[in-house]
């Protein structure tokens, strides 16, 4: 019982409460943390400069550095030296970060339903919602290969989920650029 009281005091010092929703919001609930994880997950952006320059929301470098530190400290992402360049770091989603795929899918579905989204930026959310849990699992497996070095499924062929989502985005952009023709 003494250990339990100690843990409760420690928890209260670090977090506002033990509520799972509150604790999740404390880890990934700010705008920039979600954008960083989104860009790693859907855009395969793994270096500081890619995350800084690749986000349409325009994150400031000091904010990005802070969020990368926080997400690393929380175990959502990891940081390692990039073997291709000794002055660069490469960021990877951890299993904890990869398991946010269903959360992102639901956030995207909710946003697509209730907010003024654009077709090209909501196509990924639409496809994830339509694919449901089986597609989310496939996406998480793909992310494990890319970010954790898991072996790919030898029975799978063709593009992975991220590539298919990107192709759908590019198809919408191309159709819009062509005046809406199919």
């Amino acid at each position: 019982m003494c250990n339990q009281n100690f843990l409760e005091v420690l928890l209260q010092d670090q977090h506002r409460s033990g509520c799972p929703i509150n604790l999740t919001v404390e880890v990934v609930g700010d705008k920039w943390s979600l954008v960083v994880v989104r860009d790693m997950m859907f855009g395969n952006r793994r270096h500081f400069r890619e995350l800084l320059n690749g986000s349409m929301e325009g994150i400031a470098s000091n904010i990005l550095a802070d969020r990368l530190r926080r997400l690393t400290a929380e175990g959502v992402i990891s940081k390692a030296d990039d073997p291709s360049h000794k002055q660069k770091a490469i960021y990877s989603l951890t299993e904890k970060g990869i398991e946010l795929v269903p959360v992102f899918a639901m956030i995207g579905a909710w946003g697509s339903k209730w907010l003024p989204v654009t077709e090209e930026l909501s196509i990924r959310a639409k496809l994830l919602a339509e694919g449901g849990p089986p597609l989310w699992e496939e996406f998480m497996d793909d992310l494990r290969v890319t970010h954790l070095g898991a072996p790919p499924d030898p029975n799978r062929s063709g593009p992975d989920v991220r590539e298919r989502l990107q192709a759908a985005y590019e198809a919408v952009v191309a159709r819009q650029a062509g005046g809406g023709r199919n």
Side-chain angles (χ1 to χ4, degrees), residues 18 21 37 42-43 52 68 74 77 91 95 112 118-120 125 127 130 140 146 150 160 162-164 174 176:
I21 294 171
V37 173
F42 294 97
L52 182 65
L68 289 170
E74 290 288 352
I77 64 173
Y91 294 93
E95 183 63 27
S112 293
T118 61
E119 181 185 8
E120 72 274 10
L127 294 174
E130 289 172 356
M140 288 189 290
T146 302
D160 66 22
R162 190 189 58 75
E163 292 166 333
R164 295 190 320 251
Q176 290 175 341

Side-chain angles (χ1 to χ4, degrees), residues 70-142:
R70 287 173 49 188
L71 290 166
T72 301
E74 290 288 352
V76 175
I77 64 173
S78 63
K79 177 183 177 182
D81 292 333
D82 186 338
S84 69
H85 193 286
K86 67 181 184 179
Q87 292 181 325
K88 281 178 142 182
I90 188 164
Y91 294 93
S92 299
L93 294 167
T94 62
E95 183 63 27
K96 190 175 186 179
I98 290 168
E99 288 189 13
L100 287 168
V101 165
V103 175
F104 275 76
M106 296 306 296
I107 288 171
W110 184 89
S112 293
K113 180 177 180 179
W114 294 104
L115 301 173
V117 299
T118 61
E119 181 185 8
E120 72 274 10
L121 295 178
S122 63
I123 188 65
R124 293 177 184 102
K126 178 182 179 207
L127 294 174
L128 281 172
E130 289 172 356
L135 185 62
W136 307 344
E137 286 296 330
E138 185 181 347
F139 190 24
M140 288 189 290
D141 287 343
D142 292 343

Side-chain angles (χ1 to χ4, degrees), residues 9-30:
V9 169
L10 185 62
L11 177 69
Q12 289 172 350
D13 287 345
Q14 294 177 343
H15 303 288
R16 287 184 292 258
S17 77
C19 168
I21 294 171
N22 169 68
L23 291 170
T24 302
V25 168
E26 286 183 17
V27 173
V28 293
D30 71 280

